Amino acid sequence: MNKVKHLALSLVAIMLVGSLAACGGNNAENNASNKNTGNNAASTSEPTKDEGTEPAEKIELSFWTLGNVNYEDLAKEYTKEHPNVTIKVQNTGDQTAHHNNLTTALSAGSGAPDIFQLEIGFMERFINAQDKFYNLNDLGAKDIQANYLDWKWKQASSVDGSFQLGLPTDIGPTVVYYRTDLAEAAGLPSDPEGFGGAIDTWDKFAAVAKAFKEKTGKPFVDLTDLTFNALRDQSADEIYFSKADGSFIGDTNPQVRKAYDFTVKGIQEGWISNLMLWSPEWGQGMNDGSFAVVMGPAWMAGNVKSNAPDTTGKWKIAQLPEGAGNWGGSFLTLPKEGKHSKEAYDFIAWMDNKDNQLESFKTKGLMPSIPALYEDPAFVDFKDEFFGGQQTAVEFGKAANRVKPVYYGPLHDQTDTFFKNALKNVLEKKADPAKEWDEAVKQAKKLAERS
């Protein structure tokens, strides 16, 4: 995307937030409680079929998806059982572009899909534009609310719970994906417990990373963005913005500064690779063994598998030092431009039920938001041969229980980019870290003041 187009979309996004803010209620706080509020699978009734001899109305639904998901496969399965329904899936690789495209469509009043996969980092942009979306409570969502994690459900609810913007899909507890062959080559334990114990504080992690670089000549960690995220998302309650009044607090949040300084340390000591997230070189590096560690959420398992097909059995999963964060996780929403809300809701309720969340976990590593699955043998006992036969669900479950859900705020993504760009300048231009930090803070404050 060229810079002019990116600026234009950014301005559109900012204007939409301002113009639509009065249209609906506020988002609920990211409730830190992780309650198992129900054990039944999400379910939905079959769409009503015409009585008599007339065939069912032909329905076409458009569905914008994001990331490495199996939703197109599930859509095909659904349409086999519902031949009157056609579902056209469009997957967007870039997260910001995905949400900016919806912002543009909603502002124009045309072009929005029937179903939109909304990532949690962008929730605040849309939760206040309730008149642009169907209230899923009116379509039956209240009947299945108890099946999902309470805190996850509330992330897409109005404060009073009367409006539900989306159905929860996956959550993103963060873990350490690591190459066992590279760990062994550096004299490190290769089993998850041993490897995790060797890096169970960030100070120990840095020492191990530096020693790995010295012994193997390779970076220990894949890239700056995921390193920064791993520490950033361990913040307690808030990251860049105050939950109370929405003011910018990133410069005084000690965890944000810790994440920045730790990443700078990795750059300066040479144990973080000079790669960009989602680049072909990053994916190839997983396959080639160019680095040993990827720190990412549960859904990143699907990317590791896709990028590194020649490394089956060489990866394992361990716990992050000093806790876990939650990066990502999404919701299925229904923009009001769609003319078939009932059929769209029937599909997303089916796609998001217990059986299909289990399937999404098995195929793409998407961590379920239905807690009844956490004790289901089909989930807990699942062994992933790509990860050496490890019971990966156990590790993801451990991480989920260490998460402290945090408030993002509507400007999270744009603000985060300022700090990521600062680190990129330190990495690529050998820029002064202190000056880059100050510039990122200055940009973030300006953005907050004019919004």
Side-chain angles (χ1 to χ4, degrees), residues 395-415:
E395 294 299 328
F396 293 139
K398 288 178 186 176
N401 287 327
R402 303 169 83 201
V403 170
K404 298 174 182 176
V406 294
Y407 173 76
Y408 290 96
L411 302 177
H412 173 89
D413 186 63
Q414 294 146 287
T415 301

Side-chain angles (χ1 to χ4, degrees), residues 221-242:
V221 181
D222 58 343
L223 39 77
T224 57
D225 282 9
L226 296 185
T227 304
F228 179 77
N229 287 356
L231 286 90
R232 177 203 68 192
D233 291 340
Q234 291 179 346
S235 295
D237 219 24
E238 301 160 324
I239 299 178
Y240 295 123
F241 297 96
S242 166

Side-chain angles (χ1 to χ4, degrees), residues 53 59 100 102 148 155 177 190 202 206 227 252 268 276 287 327 343 359 361 364 373 387 398 440:
T53 59
I59 302 295
N100 283 347
L102 181 63
Y148 298 92
Q155 286 178 334
Y177 300 93
S190 60
W202 287 114
T227 304
T252 59
Q268 294 177 337
M276 296 302 295
N287 201 47
W327 178 30
E343 290 82 2
E359 183 65 20
F361 170 75
K364 297 297 183 181
L373 276 170
F387 292 102
K398 288 178 186 176

Side-chain angles (χ1 to χ4, degrees), residues 360-391:
S360 295
F361 170 75
K362 287 183 175 181
T363 58
K364 297 297 183 181
L366 303 183
M367 183 67 180
S369 57
I370 296 177
L373 276 170
Y374 300 169
E375 298 176 1
D376 190 317
F379 178 73
V380 175
D381 296 339
F382 172 70
K383 294 181 180 180
D384 195 324
E385 294 308 314
F386 182 88
F387 292 102
Q390 186 178 8
Q391 290 174 265

Side-chain angles (χ1 to χ4, degrees), residues 123-173:
M123 178 60 71
E124 293 295 329
R125 182 191 293 189
F126 298 103
I127 191 67
N128 291 327
Q130 293 175 12
D131 68 327
K132 300 293 184 180
F133 294 87
Y134 286 104
N135 182 355
L136 300 191
N137 284 337
D138 295 338
L139 296 168
K142 276 288 184 184
D143 296 336
I144 59 175
Q145 177 178 351
N147 298 326
Y148 298 92
L149 290 166
D150 185 54
W151 63 264
K152 174 74 173 176
W153 184 271
K154 287 180 178 178
Q155 286 178 334
S157 301
S158 61
V159 172
D160 63 3
S162 63
F163 189 95
Q164 188 64 25
L165 182 67
L167 294 185
T169 57
D170 58 308
I171 58 175

Side-chain angles (χ1 to χ4, degrees), residues 176-257:
V176 178
Y177 300 93
Y178 68 97
R179 286 279 295 260
T180 57
D181 55 337
L182 298 183
E184 290 170 355
L188 292 167
S190 60
D191 64 288
E193 186 175 352
F195 186 86
I199 59 165
D200 62 5
T201 70
W202 287 114
D203 286 343
K204 288 167 69 174
F205 185 103
V208 166
K210 185 177 181 181
F212 179 92
K213 170 69 174 178
E214 292 170 351
K215 185 160 186 177
T216 67
K218 296 181 177 183
F220 186 61
V221 181
D222 58 343
L223 39 77
T224 57
D225 282 9
L226 296 185
T227 304
F228 179 77
N229 287 356
L231 286 90
R232 177 203 68 192
D233 291 340
Q234 291 179 346
S235 295
D237 219 24
E238 301 160 324
I239 299 178
Y240 295 123
F241 297 96
S242 166
K243 233 178 4 178
D245 60 12
S247 61
F248 174 71
I249 59 166
D251 55 335
T252 59
N253 182 347
Q255 194 65 28
V256 173
R257 190 60 199 243

Side-chain angles (χ1 to χ4, degrees), residues 45-51 56-57 84 342-343 346:
S45 60
E46 292 289 319
T48 302
K49 296 182 180 179
D50 293 341
E51 298 292 337
E57 178 188 1
N84 65 306
K342 180 187 184 304
E343 290 82 2
D346 286 344

